[in-house]
Amino acid sequence: MSNTPSTPTPSSEAPAATPYGTLPPASPLAQRKPVSLPRLADMHARGEKIAMLTAYDATFAAMADAAGIDCLLVGDSLGMVCQGLNSTVGVSLEAMRYHTDSVSRGLRRVQGTTWLIADLPFGSYQESREQALRSATVLMQAGAHMVKLEGGGWTTETVRFLVERGIPVCAHLGLTPQTVHALGGYRVQGKGDSAGALLKQQAHALQDAGAAMLVLEMVPAALAAELTTELKHCATIGIGAGKGTAGQVLVLHDMLGINLGKMPKFVRNFMADAPGVLPALQAYVQAVKNSSFPDDRLHAW
Ligand code: KIV
């Protein structure tokens, strides 16, 4: 018998590294139960803060999942972040489908457990409830678990139509970037008694129509906190809305300090004190969960 060591069989070899961002076979959090609507409702009821970030590609999606993020949003902010547009107005449904598919694939590759939301872009839901259903179908078939749409009032019936047809919906009030031209810029919304009352009324109507989540962007912290207490079946997710909301969302590139312009007041750069991207994402999740982010004195109005 020869003493020559046998060549290892392929099955005993470590998987070969592939170039361009190798994904692990499984997320470190693969054991976590998948985040679902009932789990989100339970977190909301128990007062556990919901940590959300945007994601636009497979690698960052897998990293955010590994960091323990609850929800990822394929935001139409990809128009600015990935496509170099001046606003979200130019983002197409096909672009949203492409990025939703990429993020969803990244999560599937690592058996990710994160809840995935995708934005209905400008012009893909305003025409009719049927148009909204067709557009939402494209994003759900690309892997989204929920769609988000902007605005209150006329959107209420669209939300009801989608929810009745089995599509979970996240609404979005306050600064709604798709209507930035009508709003006159990226400004705080809901200031003053009548604007605040209108925003509250629209939020209640959206909850009654079945919206399970509501992004509140750039609204006074006191208003967002009051609404959060009032809405029992719709979890508020703040961005520039203070610490009183049920959860928080930030644009991924902003919170990683990947921004050459002026950082919005409501952003904290989690890379500033972190040795890498994964620890920065973990620090964000922890800061949202323990309510140390946002700090109303720094990040709110
Ligand atoms: O498009 C987006 O990224 C968003 C978040 C800012 C909430 O809507």
Side-chain angles (χ1 to χ4, degrees), residues 54 56 73 75-77 119 148 150 172 215 217 239 249 251:
T54 66
Y56 316 106
L73 167 67
D76 58 359
S77 50
D119 261 338
K148 176 164 84 57
E150 295 184 4
H172 184 155
V215 167
E217 182 163 358
I239 172 163
V249 60
V251 166

Side-chain angles (χ1 to χ4, degrees), residues 168-189:
V169 176
C170 175
H172 184 155
L173 292 176
L175 175 74
T176 45
Q178 292 175 9
T179 44
V180 63
H181 300 304
L183 295 175
Y186 296 95
R187 325 191 146 142
V188 182
Q189 302 294 313

Side-chain angles (χ1 to χ4, degrees), residues 59 82 188 260 269 273:
T59 306
C82 305
V188 182
L260 293 174
N269 176 359
D273 301 314

